[in-house]
Amino acid sequence: MKNKLLFLSTVLSFLILPAASQKHACDQGSAKTSNFSFCDTSLSYEARAKDLVSRLTLEEKAQQLVDPSAGISRLGVPAYEWWSEALHGVSNLGPGTRFDKRVPGATSFPAVILSAASFNASLWHKMGQVVSTEARAMYNVDLAGLTFWSPNVNVFRDPRWGRGQETPGEDPLVVSRYAVKYVRGLQEVEDEADRLKVSSCCKHYTAYDLDNWKAVDRFHFDAKVTKQDLEDTYQPPFKSCVEEGHVSSVMCSYNRVNGIPTCADPDLLKGVIRGQWSLDGYIVSDCDSVEVYYDAIHYTSTPEDAVALALKAGLNMNCGDFLKKYTANAVNLKKVDVATVDQALVYNYIVLMRLGFFDDPKSLPFANLGPSDVCTKDNQQLALDAAKQGIVLLENNGALPLSQTNIKKLAVIGPNANATTVMISNYAGIPCRYTSPLQGLQKYTSSVNYAPGCSNVKCGNQSLIAAAVKAAASADAVVLVVGLDQSIEAEGLDRENLTLPGFKRSLWKMWLMLPKEK
């Protein structure tokens, strides 16, 4: 008999946060508010947004520039939580989305780095459509928002970056194609070009590919980028997002580019995103990034200067509370014009109007969606297809496909062999269900011997390796499932090398030392 090896690699997910209920403005049952011009659907979105902004006090304006926005009760405009996530399925990482007994989970597609490896553009579009349908279904029962800060379209240039798992990979062309298809799948409403199914956001703009590496973190990182490298590598996915995907939001990043914080750079924001690419939407900061360039790198001398710099550069929405705290004072100190604040709000409100937040919910194209439209059989099958299409077989010496005739005893080895949450990567929600590699292989043959070999993916000691060697020695075939999780690479955690951690290499070597013939 021959010992055969199948090498699998997996990644991990975050735990996630609760959310606030979402409502709508322009309640037709209220004579007090429904007669405002901003509720008049015969007017253009811009006219309606400008009318609404004209009715706000300066303090009220400042409260609408942040996530969450406070709303204006006297005008019948409720508070709104802008931050929801949908990187590869509806996620409850952002506070705008939650799960409960009505919708306990949503369809979870593979980590983006895997789905992108399918090189199947029509698949990426279908994924976006499924995610937006489930998002709308959850919104209709007050479990989700309508503005999703996804996808991540940064180029995965250095494989040690902890967030590479979120991205479509290292090729600017592939990242661009993925961005366009996924964004369109999320946003497009058939036969209604101005409408949005949900709002998508391409992030993190730009030249962002370091989180925390050798004492340099993303808050202090200054990316030194040539003009050619910026145009050839980092900008194409964002340009495609805006010009071809018609994305309704772009998020600026924490880092600086050539000395200037991206969220304070008028050339990058007003000049490129708004001017050259003609963004039809809003520009949002990564969370607390305005505060970061004031407090962490002391780029400005006062908070008001930081806020004024961001608004004049073209920022429209602040994830965090910095603009709420200091915008009014910045205006009063004449550091920024109120007209600049007004224009930022107009961009924000136009997106909410395109989403139907200011319309009768029953009149919207997706009003009939509900919990039964989440985790459908077809949606779960598409997620499975995406996983299959993205698998990359590096080498096959005859081991695959595994023969059910010849393989009576199967050894499943490795700390990720019985993984569940590890498999769904980061920025994930709660999936419809889990099937671990072990559970899947147990359906293949009744005689499966499972030995983790290490207590966790860091594999800090060799105490469990002997049992794994014993299991492998008595098997007809061995499936070794190692890989990483969020304790090795994650947001805020880059890798210093590309080797398997701890004693996991010993698991590999133990198989190599086994006799190949019996």
Side-chain angles (χ1 to χ4, degrees):
M1 288 180 286
K2 294 182 178 180
N3 281 295
K4 300 176 180 178
L5 178 73
L6 180 62
F7 184 86
L8 300 179
S9 184
T10 53
V11 287
L12 177 83
S13 75
F14 286 153
L15 286 177
I16 8 205
L17 308 170
S21 172
Q22 304 293 333
K23 300 177 182 178
H24 71 283
C26 298
D27 183 358
Q28 295 301 307
S30 171
K32 178 182 177 181
T33 60
S34 62
N35 292 325
F36 289 128
S37 293
F38 65 80
C39 294
D40 184 352
T41 57
S42 68
L43 300 177
S44 69
Y45 293 131
E46 184 176 12
R48 294 171 66 189
K50 285 182 176 180
D51 176 76
L52 173 56
V53 173
S54 72
R55 299 173 185 272
L56 306 183
T57 67
L58 179 57
E59 290 295 337
E60 287 173 334
K61 290 174 182 179
Q63 293 172 359
Q64 314 312 312
L65 289 169
V66 295
D67 156 65
S69 62
I72 313 100
S73 58
R74 66 182 179 84
L75 299 178
V77 179
Y80 179 75
E81 175 56 68
W82 288 82
W83 181 9
S84 288
E85 298 282 354
L87 181 66
H88 52 102
V90 179
S91 169
N92 55 349
L93 177 66
T97 303
R98 62 191 174 94
F99 295 102
D100 66 10
K101 62 182 180 181
R102 294 169 296 168
V103 183
T107 301
S108 182
F109 289 92
V112 176
I113 193 70
L114 177 65
S115 297
S118 69
F119 297 98
N120 186 341
S122 63
L123 170 67
W124 305 333
H125 185 256
K126 289 177 183 176
M127 288 166 48
Q129 290 177 315
V130 165
V131 173
S132 57
T133 293
E134 295 196 349
R136 271 286 178 174
M138 293 178 65
Y139 173 80
N140 288 346
V141 291
D142 294 332
L143 292 177
L146 292 170
T147 46
F148 289 83
W149 292 347
S150 304
N152 180 336
V153 298
N154 294 120
V155 174
F156 189 18
R157 198 170 194 182
D158 189 327
R160 294 169 294 184
W161 184 33
R163 301 188 73 174
Q165 59 196 282
E166 300 175 31
T167 77
E170 75 281 6
D171 180 11
L173 177 61
V174 173
V175 177
S176 298
R177 292 302 90 204
Y178 180 92
V180 169
K181 292 298 183 179
Y182 190 66
V183 166
R184 284 185 171 181
L186 287 173
Q187 292 196 160
E188 287 181 343
V189 179
E190 188 175 358
D191 299 326
E192 294 190 55
D194 287 341
R195 283 284 192 186
L196 293 170
K197 190 176 179 184
V198 300
S199 170
S200 176
C201 174
C202 288
K203 62 185 185 183
H204 312 79
Y205 180 83
T206 183
Y208 169 50
D209 59 1
L210 181 146
D211 265 61
N212 194 341
W213 190 77
K214 292 190 175 182
V216 179
D217 64 35
R218 56 185 173 171
F219 308 124
H220 296 83
F221 179 53
D222 186 3
K224 302 298 185 182
V225 188
T226 66
K227 289 184 179 180
Q228 180 172 345
D229 204 12
L230 193 66
E231 293 303 315
D232 288 351
T233 304
Y234 297 108
Q235 297 291 71
F238 293 99
K239 182 178 182 181
S240 295
C241 266
V242 176
E243 293 188 339
E244 299 177 60
H246 307 295
V247 75
S248 51
S249 178
V250 174
M251 177 183 286
C252 52
S253 53
Y254 291 113
N255 58 287
R256 285 167 284 170
V257 175
N258 299 324
I260 305 174
T262 62
C263 293
D265 191 332
D267 291 333
L268 286 176
L269 303 187
K270 284 174 64 176
V272 176
I273 298 177
R274 187 76 64 187
Q276 293 180 24
W277 300 342
S278 302
L279 172 70
D280 184 7
Y282 68 101
I283 300 173
V284 60
S285 72
D286 205 340
C287 294
D288 300 314
S289 61
V290 178
E291 182 177 4
V292 162
Y293 71 69
Y294 163 70
D295 194 46
I297 66 172
H298 310 295
Y299 191 75
T300 63
S301 58
T302 70
E304 289 82 6
D305 287 327
V307 165
L309 199 61
L311 288 167
K312 289 189 289 187
L315 189 73
N316 313 129
M317 168 64 59
N318 172 207
C319 177
D321 61 3
F322 217 61
L323 265 64
K324 179 173 70 173
K325 289 180 178 179
Y326 300 108
T327 294
N329 205 31
V331 171
N332 291 331
L333 292 172
K334 301 188 184 306
K335 294 179 181 292
V336 63
D337 294 334
V338 70
T340 302
V341 176
D342 290 352
Q343 184 60 69
L345 289 168
V346 168
Y347 288 135
N348 299 342
Y349 280 128
I350 286 175
V351 170
L352 286 183
M353 289 174 178
R354 293 173 67 195
L355 287 163
F357 188 74
F358 286 78
D359 300 336
D360 179 0
K362 296 178 182 178
S363 69
L364 300 178
F366 312 104
N368 60 333
L369 296 175
S372 63
D373 297 292
V374 183
C375 284
T376 66
K377 183 178 179 180
D378 287 345
N379 291 357
Q380 293 184 66
Q381 183 60 48
L382 185 66
L384 178 60
D385 290 344
K388 290 179 178 179
Q389 291 184 40
I391 292 172
V392 177
L393 179 62
L394 297 179
E395 182 179 344
N396 184 16
N397 59 2
L400 297 174
L402 294 175
S403 170
Q404 288 183 291
T405 302
N406 298 330
I407 297 174
K408 303 300 182 184
K409 295 181 179 179
L410 186 66
V412 181
I413 310 295
N416 275 333
N418 200 27
T420 52
T421 55
V422 170
M423 298 187 298
I424 60 175
S425 187
N426 62 349
Y427 280 81
I430 300 174
C432 308
R433 60 188 177 90
Y434 291 106
T435 301
S436 72
L438 176 62
Q439 291 170 329
L441 290 164
Q442 285 171 333
K443 297 176 182 179
Y444 169 81
T445 180
S446 58
S447 180
V448 176
N449 193 355
Y450 165 55
C454 300
S455 59
N456 55 53
V457 296
K458 289 186 175 180
C459 205
N461 63 69
Q462 304 183 67
S463 62
L464 300 178
I465 290 180
V469 172
K470 183 178 179 181
S474 62
D476 301 319
V478 178
V479 178
L480 180 60
V481 190
V482 285
L484 310 173
D485 67 13
Q486 300 292 311
S487 69
I488 303 298
E489 61 174 21
E491 182 174 5
L493 178 63
D494 298 329
R495 299 171 66 189
E496 292 194 9
N497 57 61
L498 299 178
T499 61
L500 288 171
F503 290 98
K504 258 200 275 191
R505 280 175 288 180
S506 299
L507 281 175
W508 178 268
K509 290 178 181 178
M510 70 89 182
W511 174 80
L512 295 176
M513 295 171 62
L514 289 173
K516 304 303 178 190
E517 300 286 345
K518 289 191 177 181

